[in-house]
Amino acid sequence: MLEFKSVGKSFGGINIFENLNFQLKKGEWVGLTGGNGTGKSTLINIATGFQLPDEGKVNLGNVSLLGLKPWQIARLGVKRNFQSVRLSESLILRDQFFVPDKKIFDNLEMIQASGIKGFLNRFPSECPLPILRKMEVLRALLHSPSILFLDEPSAGFSQEELHEFSQFLITYVPSSISLVIVEHRTELMQLVCTKSWGLFLNEPLRIM
Amino acid sequence: MLKIENLYVKYGFIQALSNVSILLNKGEIVLLDGHHGAGKSSLLNAIVGLVASRGQVIIGKNIIKNRSPNKTLKLGVSFLPEGNCIFSNLTVKENIELGSVLASIKHSENALDVFPEISHLMNKKAFFLSGGQSRMVAFARSMASNPTYLLLDEPLSGLSKGPQEIIWKKLVELKNNGIGVLITGQHNVQENSEIDHKYIIENGQIDKVF
Amino acid sequence: MSLYLITVLTNICLFSFIALSAYLILIVGEVSFGQQAFFGIGAYSLAIFFVYFDFSIISSIFFGMLICFCLALFLSLLTIKLSGLYFAMATLAFAEVFRLSMNLVRFPIEKEGRATGLNGPEGFENIRWIFENNIDPLGFFYITLITLTILVISLFILERSFIMKNARIVGKDIILAQSLGIRPRPYRVFFIGTAGAISGLGGALFALANTYIEPAMFGMMLGVHSLAYTIIGGLGLPIGPLLGVFIDIGLLESIRFLSEYRMIIFGGLVAIILIFYPEGIISPRIASRIKRLFFNKGL
Amino acid sequence: MEFLQTCIDGLLFGSAYSLLALSFSLLFGVMKRINLAFGSTLLLSAVFSLWIDSLFSIGIFGIFFLMIASSALINIYVEKLCFYPHSGKYGATVSMISSFAIWMQLDEMSSFLLPDRTASFPSFLPDSFFLKDLFIRIDQLFLFLIAVFMTSIFFYVLYKTNYGLLLRGVSFDGELAKKLGVNSGKISSFAFAFSGIFGAIAAFLILSTESQVTPFFGFWCTLKGLVAMMLGGIGSLPGAIIGGLFLGLVESNVINYLGAEYRDICTYLILLFILVVKPGGIMGSALLRDERAASERI
């Protein structure tokens, strides 16, 4: 479904990766690990159109994603969350799904299960970090993605929260969605993902 | 020694810390462990005076009143907040030199060589650094202010194995040079034999001491 | 009501238009120093259509707004890559080019024995619609008030729609907006265009009320004042800018007994208000709280 | 010959713009803030100094030093009221509007001290000389040299001193700097005072070449400084100098060939054109590049 073909990217003269190849199939749940500066976030940025690769091809099905703007890619169903939580300080959580109300009501069960229901009428500054992270994941899910990139979704979670969260993902993320979880900690991906990839400096993508 | 006695911190109605006492001697590594939101960061922030607190902080024999990061730094307590705390608009070298400027001491060449891993990047803008590299730069900057005590908030979190080991090795080296190091929770260093004491914070209170 | 009070209230209404136009632009995350230009273009277009071409008053206003809308669209497309101070300076440059060129255009005519028409810095005199139709100040106040009310109500309706919600995300966090599949540019272009039209509407009414306009009325001071109104009033709800205008003009008038020290006090007061309400008095956060009170959807 | 004379006039007068642009660049390049009250600060300090002079006749040097001192103080007042309370991402707009309010306030104070609307300002240099057929005003030449000299001082402070290092650190992330032990308040007051001193020297020189001060001087300073800074490229020190000289050059040529009433129109048209075609200004602003790069990283 999503395919990277010999993609290369460098930043200010520092090579982040070169000749990166992989294929993400429909419904595949992949955990992506790797050291710092190996370009995990850059990979997401390229796949979602926020950055342009220096070389190579990025295809979604038959469509080339190169040259498409981030919003066009998002409309094609490639969604993401952000490592630094991006929520508006001036809106209560309920107003931050940015979907019609009907959709919120349809998915009420999911919202309830995520444990953020009690916080829906609060501002982000009144909620603990794990809630905000869940909120971001929920927001992405409500936008019915076909591919979902989660950048460090469990950062700041305690062990119990992590288990709960993995259970939540397994129950509520439709199996037709391809999921890519980028993390330093491997616990979440071990619980959730069927496949895991490793990204290391100056090496091709390692499938583990 | 750096001694914290009966520290209380309150945010609005929430009691973030109550009656916390901690002792950090020179040449020790002390670990503060606890869940997210248990009050680890609040404790470090309170020590350097970033949040208002009740209680005493004693450096050597002096009780420090009206603490501020500036004041504690000049008394030899260097604090490094969570995350990649670097100035992306400055070069790596300038970032590190900032440490000595902050403490109002002379630049020392040693500080630039704390991590040989980043020595080739000295004249690059810090903007281009990866997470691990920027953590090393921030660490080297803390060292440049020539501290007696180091307070590091989550120094190893978000790092991959390589940089983690490099920084941990440096911490042990500092310990052996007689510097007191206080770091906050990191599950993968818990069992490390180099840690002299471990405090577990739960709901703003010291739960256990090892 | 005394004539004095009516004049003050009419002024509050008239300047609310330009404040609302600054509000719309601030919502999509930009700062414009040039809304006074559209205020001026609206005023001048109305005068030209009405005096030279004898258009009816409604169509004069309409064409004035249309010209403002088109010029604002043009300006926003021209500056599509600019943001922040760059955009602000570009709009200022545009506004000053307009104002200064109005100083150079002279095309005086005589109508019913009275001198009128474009006349450089001496201005455009005798736009006599209110006299021809025997509209007294109170009547004109009602006209502006009704127009303003319709505008504010439509903005409130817009506020509840996805357009405004999306525009607010685009203004606050353009990266998030894109990742949600929102295309930022149309919002920006459309809002800047609409802001131009609203400002033009205000300008047209202003020309009618004053019966006389001159380029110096549309200087940078007016534009920055309109920004100040919106920032003080807040970006949360469309009545924010109105509150800002009211505080400025209303307060200015109410402390007139201190007239000599008026600006000294007022300038300091604004700075102090901004310290305590940096997001304005009706900030988005407060607007959110209000909505939470009134529209709790049972979640 | 006429063209050459016009250009020389323009360049010499442009050096005044350069000085103003430098003061703006200092604040914008370093603190990322626009101080709209800047011109009125200079006006008030000049008018205040003249007022003191009329009371105690402190002489031209007295006026000079009093202007520097009062301008630094008023700048600190502006900083404490308009800029210090507004940190963070959205602080830029708010502090700009706040400084606009203070602009009104300072202008009003000046008009109290300047009831006659205009006052003469002492000049201190011999007027002019002829170089072959070219007429050159010494005081303006002096202004030009000062502009170059002050840029070097500015550059030195920012890039070679510890204070400059702290200043650049605070400009990037004031919160972080505070956590690490920088006294951010002190640093930013310093920056404002510095730009005030800088501006006061510029204003003194400009006023003494003009040999009078009017209430429009403040507005004029703010606008010309901003325009020259944008023309040259924000945050670039050579850009500020070149932007000022370019502005002077354009204005004198337009006045000479088209007439005085076209002066400002042409200036703004050129500004609009440069912003649309090359937003970084003539010199290509490093700041713009940095901003773009930073926004690319998520």
Side-chain angles (χ1 to χ4, degrees):
Chain A
M1 196 176 181
L2 181 71
E3 191 181 18
F4 271 49
K5 267 190 198 157
S6 52
V7 172
K9 176 81 186 169
S10 61
F11 244 127
I14 299 169
N15 245 351
I16 293 184
F17 43 62
E18 50 190 2
N19 199 15
L20 182 74
N21 291 292
F22 69 83
Q23 268 186 323
L24 181 69
K25 295 193 185 70
K26 193 172 154 72
E28 237 176 3
W29 287 23
V30 176
L32 179 62
T33 56
N36 283 88
T38 53
K40 299 186 302 298
S41 294
T42 312
L43 189 149
I44 300 185
N45 287 344
I46 289 176
T48 50
F50 284 97
Q51 279 169 356
L52 271 180
D54 299 334
E55 54 189 17
K57 282 182 186 144
V58 183
N59 292 328
L60 179 71
N62 303 322
V63 189
S64 168
L65 294 186
L66 290 187
L68 290 190
K69 295 270 180 296
W71 58 270
Q72 289 171 313
I73 297 178
R75 286 183 189 179
L76 289 174
V78 183
K79 297 277 160 57
R80 65 172 296 176
N81 77 344
F82 294 92
Q83 205 171 338
S84 54
V85 178
R86 277 183 188 268
L87 291 168
S88 170
E89 270 311 313
S90 53
L91 291 176
I92 54 177
L93 290 193
R94 196 185 60 209
D95 290 338
Q96 305 216 28
F97 290 111
F98 304 117
V99 289
D101 286 344
K102 191 176 166 297
K103 188 134 195 185
I104 298 180
F105 281 107
D106 289 350
N107 292 290
L108 213 53
E109 192 199 347
M110 181 165 95
I111 293 170
Q112 211 146 18
S114 68
I116 68 166
K117 190 167 176 289
F119 294 91
L120 279 179
N121 277 323
R122 297 205 193 171
F123 290 107
S125 57
E126 302 164 350
C127 304
L129 187 72
I131 293 294
L132 300 181
R133 291 212 175 274
K134 278 183 197 166
M135 173 68 203
E136 278 212 313
V137 175
L138 270 180
R139 182 175 64 196
L141 279 178
L142 284 184
H143 276 83
S144 35
S146 58
I147 300 179
L148 180 56
F149 287 95
L150 298 180
D151 200 351
E152 309 245 357
S154 75
F157 281 18
S158 71
Q159 216 66 18
E160 302 96 82
E161 283 166 335
L162 197 112
H163 279 273
E164 206 185 289
F165 185 67
S166 67
Q167 212 49 51
F168 166 75
L169 285 181
I170 292 168
T171 326
Y172 289 99
V173 179
S175 58
S176 60
I177 291 181
S178 316
L179 193 66
V180 180
I181 297 180
V182 175
E183 288 254 320
H184 286 291
R185 298 161 72 169
T186 47
E187 292 107 311
L188 182 69
M189 15 184 125
Q190 278 162 7
L191 289 168
V192 171
C193 297
T194 48
K195 249 183 171 180
S196 107
W197 295 345
L199 208 48
F200 298 94
L201 263 190
N202 305 323
E203 276 181 44
L205 192 78
R206 211 188 282 167
I207 296 174
M208 297 185 284
Chain B
M1 70 197 166
L2 176 66
K3 199 170 171 189
I4 291 102
E5 281 183 345
N6 310 34
L7 209 64
Y8 291 81
V9 172
K10 215 171 178 183
Y11 299 123
F13 297 110
I14 303 162
Q15 190 77 42
L17 288 180
S18 50
N19 200 11
V20 172
S21 301
I22 276 183
L23 180 68
L24 173 66
N25 283 316
K26 286 182 188 169
E28 274 184 357
I29 296 183
V30 171
L31 173 72
L32 280 177
D33 202 350
H35 284 313
H36 185 87
K40 301 184 303 253
S41 294
S42 301
L43 176 57
L44 294 194
N45 285 337
I47 295 174
V48 295
L50 279 169
V51 297
S53 57
R54 203 150 54 80
Q56 283 180 340
V57 173
I58 303 164
I59 301 174
K61 283 174 188 142
N62 307 317
I63 300 172
I64 313 303
K65 292 239 168 71
N66 299 329
R67 296 182 296 276
S68 73
N70 193 299
K71 198 168 174 183
T72 46
L73 184 66
K74 293 208 168 129
L75 292 166
V77 179
S78 177
F79 169 57
L80 188 59
E82 207 173 350
N84 292 338
C85 302
I86 51 162
F87 296 94
S88 311
N89 61 337
L90 307 180
T91 64
V92 170
K93 190 169 174 219
E94 285 171 333
N95 257 295
I96 296 176
E97 283 177 352
L98 195 62
S100 47
V101 175
L102 287 173
S104 321
I105 55 174
K106 267 187 144 171
H107 297 313
S108 78
E109 289 301 315
N110 295 340
L112 299 178
D113 304 328
V114 172
F115 293 105
E117 291 83 358
I118 50 170
S119 57
H120 64 290
L121 298 167
M122 278 305 156
N123 291 318
K124 280 225 181 286
K125 281 259 165 105
F127 174 73
F128 296 114
L129 299 185
S130 70
Q133 287 164 340
S134 25
R135 199 69 63 88
M136 287 182 215
V137 172
F139 196 91
R141 184 185 52 215
S142 280
M143 292 315 301
S145 48
N146 206 6
T148 332
Y149 303 99
L150 261 178
L151 310 182
L152 307 171
D153 200 357
E154 306 271 353
L156 304 179
S157 80
L159 293 187
S160 51
K161 279 269 147 50
Q164 267 189 11
E165 277 162 14
I166 294 171
I167 289 181
W168 184 251
K169 234 167 73 193
K170 189 51 81 180
L171 285 177
V172 173
E173 195 185 311
L174 291 178
K175 166 190 165 170
N176 295 334
N177 289 344
I179 293 179
V181 181
L182 179 65
I183 61 174
T184 59
Q186 201 63 62
H187 47 95
N188 43 4
V189 291
Q190 278 173 12
E191 313 306 332
N192 203 303
S193 58
E194 299 288 348
I195 293 176
D196 298 277
H197 293 285
K198 185 167 128 185
Y199 295 86
I200 296 180
I201 296 193
E202 201 54 67
N203 292 327
Q205 288 175 335
I206 300 277
D207 202 39
K208 274 185 213 149
V209 185
F210 297 100
Chain C
M1 276 196 280
S2 72
L3 184 63
Y4 175 67
L5 184 61
I6 292 170
T7 320
V8 170
L9 289 176
T10 312
N11 274 337
I12 289 178
C13 287
L14 289 174
F15 288 111
S16 293
F17 285 96
I18 186 169
L20 279 171
S21 83
Y23 166 81
L24 284 184
I25 293 184
L26 280 166
I27 279 184
V28 284
E30 294 298 347
V31 174
S32 164
F33 280 169
Q35 288 316 100
Q36 72 275 22
F38 300 107
F39 202 69
I41 292 170
Y44 267 96
S45 315
L46 169 108
I48 289 168
F49 283 122
F50 185 67
V51 171
Y52 286 88
F53 303 113
D54 289 316
F55 277 29
S56 77
I57 197 68
I58 298 289
S59 48
S60 297
I61 293 179
F62 174 75
F63 282 114
M65 283 176 74
L66 192 67
I67 287 176
C68 287
F69 183 71
C70 294
L71 279 175
L73 273 191
F74 172 70
L75 183 66
S76 74
L77 291 172
L78 205 61
T79 56
I80 195 112
K81 290 205 172 123
L82 304 181
S83 65
L85 183 64
Y86 300 92
F87 179 79
M89 286 305 285
T91 49
L92 172 67
F94 173 82
E96 288 293 280
V97 168
F98 161 74
R99 182 178 68 87
L100 295 165
S101 29
M102 283 336 270
N103 272 332
L104 299 176
V105 185
R106 281 173 198 275
F107 194 70
I109 55 168
E110 204 162 285
K111 210 174 173 189
E112 292 158 16
R114 289 193 179 86
T116 179
L118 295 162
N119 198 12
E122 282 80 57
F124 198 128
E125 291 177 280
N126 287 320
I127 308 160
R128 299 179 54 81
W129 180 74
I130 52 171
F131 301 122
E132 286 161 9
N133 292 282
N134 284 325
I135 293 167
D136 61 351
L138 188 64
F140 195 80
F141 166 63
Y142 285 135
I143 293 176
T144 48
L145 186 66
I146 289 166
T147 321
L148 183 66
T149 314
I150 293 172
L151 179 65
V152 170
I153 288 174
S154 10
L155 284 177
F156 263 105
I157 293 169
L158 194 66
E159 191 73 37
R160 309 266 297 141
S161 76
F162 78 97
I163 297 179
M164 201 59 134
K165 281 179 186 155
N166 287 358
R168 282 184 190 274
I169 319 173
V170 170
K172 274 259 171 182
D173 190 343
I174 196 161
I175 287 172
L176 173 63
Q178 289 182 322
S179 81
L180 294 174
I182 298 167
R183 187 181 182 184
R185 277 189 185 171
Y187 287 97
R188 203 187 114 109
V189 172
F190 174 72
F191 270 65
I192 293 174
T194 313
I198 290 176
S199 185
L201 174 61
L205 293 172
F206 174 79
L208 289 179
N210 264 29
T211 71
Y212 163 77
I213 47 176
E214 61 173 21
M217 288 170 170
F218 311 111
M220 184 191 173
M221 281 293 162
L222 177 61
V224 189
H225 265 291
S226 69
L227 268 177
Y229 296 150
T230 308
I231 302 268
I232 299 167
L235 282 176
L237 292 172
I239 47 166
L242 273 57
L243 183 66
V245 180
F246 182 77
I247 290 177
D248 182 3
I249 299 180
L251 267 186
L252 269 182
E253 297 304 327
S254 71
I255 56 172
R256 181 156 265 188
F257 65 94
L258 292 168
S259 62
E260 279 195 47
Y261 308 98
R262 212 168 69 194
M263 282 317 291
I264 296 182
I265 296 171
F266 183 69
L269 186 69
V270 169
I272 290 167
I273 289 181
L274 286 177
I275 292 177
F276 292 106
Y277 300 94
E279 289 192 293
I281 295 170
I282 306 180
S283 66
R285 220 179 146 97
I286 287 179
S288 210
R289 268 183 217 280
I290 294 172
K291 280 183 207 154
R292 174 157 62 163
L293 274 181
F294 288 104
F295 308 106
N296 209 331
K297 278 169 282 184
L299 274 176
Chain D
M1 211 52 176
E2 191 198 347
F3 177 67
L4 197 59
Q5 178 71 55
T6 317
C7 288
I8 288 178
D9 289 349
L11 284 178
L12 290 180
F13 198 73
S15 48
Y17 295 151
S18 298
L19 280 175
L20 293 171
L22 272 177
S23 328
F24 265 101
S25 240
L26 168 65
L27 276 186
F28 194 82
V30 179
M31 306 302 295
K32 307 267 163 56
R33 292 287 191 261
I34 285 289
N35 179 6
L36 288 180
F38 187 66
S40 346
T41 306
L42 300 183
L43 171 67
L44 182 60
S45 71
V47 172
F48 174 71
S49 307
L50 283 182
W51 181 66
I52 294 288
D53 183 48
S54 72
L55 294 180
F56 305 107
S57 44
I58 49 177
I60 187 160
F61 285 106
I63 291 179
F64 178 68
F65 288 112
L66 190 58
M67 262 182 81
I68 288 182
S70 55
S71 156
L73 281 180
I74 301 170
N75 250 299
I76 290 176
Y77 162 74
V78 172
E79 192 259 340
K80 288 283 171 249
L81 197 59
C82 307
F83 292 87
Y84 182 68
H86 306 296
S87 58
K89 201 171 143 201
Y90 303 106
T93 319
V94 178
S95 54
M96 192 170 74
I97 297 299
S98 185
S99 71
F100 167 69
I102 295 303
W103 163 1
M104 308 271 98
Q105 188 185 39
L106 298 180
D107 260 11
E108 197 71 8
M109 288 183 186
S110 309
S111 67
F112 273 110
L113 295 173
L114 201 63
D116 300 335
R117 309 287 289 160
T118 164
S120 68
F121 200 89
S123 319
F124 63 100
L125 280 165
D127 263 357
S128 54
F129 66 92
F130 281 90
L131 189 76
K132 288 190 182 156
D133 292 335
L134 296 171
F135 176 74
I136 292 174
R137 283 180 65 173
I138 288 195
D139 47 1
Q140 290 192 340
L141 190 65
F142 184 64
L143 204 65
F144 181 77
L145 295 177
I146 291 280
V148 174
F149 174 67
M150 284 178 49
T151 317
S152 352
I153 291 188
F154 188 11
F155 199 84
Y156 178 80
V157 169
L158 204 52
Y159 288 95
K160 300 284 176 218
T161 64
N162 288 345
Y163 242 132
L165 186 60
L166 286 176
L167 212 54
R168 284 182 291 147
V170 171
S171 89
F172 180 74
D173 190 341
E175 279 303 303
L176 173 59
K178 208 166 150 188
K179 283 184 189 169
L180 293 175
V182 180
N183 195 337
S184 305
K186 216 159 107 189
I187 289 292
S188 93
S189 296
F190 169 78
F192 271 80
F194 191 54
S195 97
I197 291 169
F198 216 81
I201 296 173
F204 179 80
L205 293 169
I206 294 167
L207 287 171
S208 74
T209 62
E210 304 261 306
S211 63
Q212 64 162 351
V213 52
T214 67
F216 302 109
F217 180 68
F219 186 66
W220 181 87
C221 279
T222 303
L223 219 53
K224 297 289 175 181
L226 265 176
V227 171
M229 176 180 81
M230 302 297 296
L231 283 175
I234 293 183
S236 144
L237 301 186
I241 292 275
I242 287 177
L245 296 181
F246 179 71
L247 184 59
L249 209 55
V250 168
E251 288 194 348
S252 68
N253 275 298
V254 169
I255 291 175
N256 201 23
Y257 293 105
L258 292 174
E261 66 272 30
Y262 287 94
R263 186 186 68 180
D264 287 346
I265 294 193
C266 288
T267 306
Y268 287 112
L269 275 177
I270 288 172
L271 176 63
L272 191 58
F273 178 76
I274 285 191
L275 281 174
V276 169
V277 176
K278 200 164 181 272
I282 300 169
M283 292 299 285
S285 163
L287 202 71
L288 184 71
R289 203 184 55 227
D290 282 1
E291 273 172 23
R292 293 250 160 100
S295 69
E296 207 179 276
R297 213 165 228 214
I298 296 164

